[in-house]
């Protein structure tokens, strides 16, 4: 599956513990990454500064669903299921 251009769900819904330019301590779940532009495109795409966790992400139907709204819901649910108590 190809990423939906302008979706950005993987840059909003999950927490990212890696340092991101502009977010040196990473980002909490549900918080928009500062590297998303107004069209929900990663400003670091293809850059060496892009965190490995981000560049390693592969879009899949089971994660991304049929829309941005579904992707945010699915990724948010996975985030809750994988939290360490």
């Amino acid at each position: 599956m190809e990423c939906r251009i302008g979706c950005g769900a993987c840059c909003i819904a999950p927490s990212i513990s890696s340092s991101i330019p502009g977010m040196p301590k990473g980002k909490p779940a549900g918080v928009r990454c500062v590297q998303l532009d107004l069209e929900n495109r990663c400003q670091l795409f293809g850059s060496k500064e892009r965190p490995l966790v981000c560049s390693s992400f592969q879009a899949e139907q089971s994660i991304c669903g049929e829309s941005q709204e579904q992707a945010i819901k699915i990724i948010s649910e996975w985030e809750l299921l994988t939290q360490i108590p």
Side-chain angles (χ1 to χ4, degrees), residues 24-76:
K25 295 183 179 183
K27 68 167 229 51
V31 172
R32 182 181 175 83
C33 179
V34 298
Q35 295 301 328
L36 278 181
D37 66 15
L38 294 176
E39 297 175 339
N40 285 339
R41 294 178 184 216
C42 177
Q43 297 177 89
L44 297 177
F45 192 85
S47 166
K48 291 185 285 185
E49 293 181 284
R50 190 173 183 213
L52 181 60
V53 67
C54 299
S55 58
S56 297
F57 177 76
Q58 297 292 310
E60 292 182 19
Q61 190 70 38
S62 64
I63 300 168
C64 302
E66 297 293 328
S67 65
Q68 180 202 40
E69 292 78 19
Q70 280 187 349
I72 288 176
K73 182 179 178 188
I74 292 167
I75 296 169
S76 295

Side-chain angles (χ1 to χ4, degrees), residues 7-30:
C7 175
C10 60
C11 304
I12 298 168
S15 61
I16 298 175
S17 58
S18 303
S19 177
I20 302 165
M23 299 180 105
K25 295 183 179 183
K27 68 167 229 51

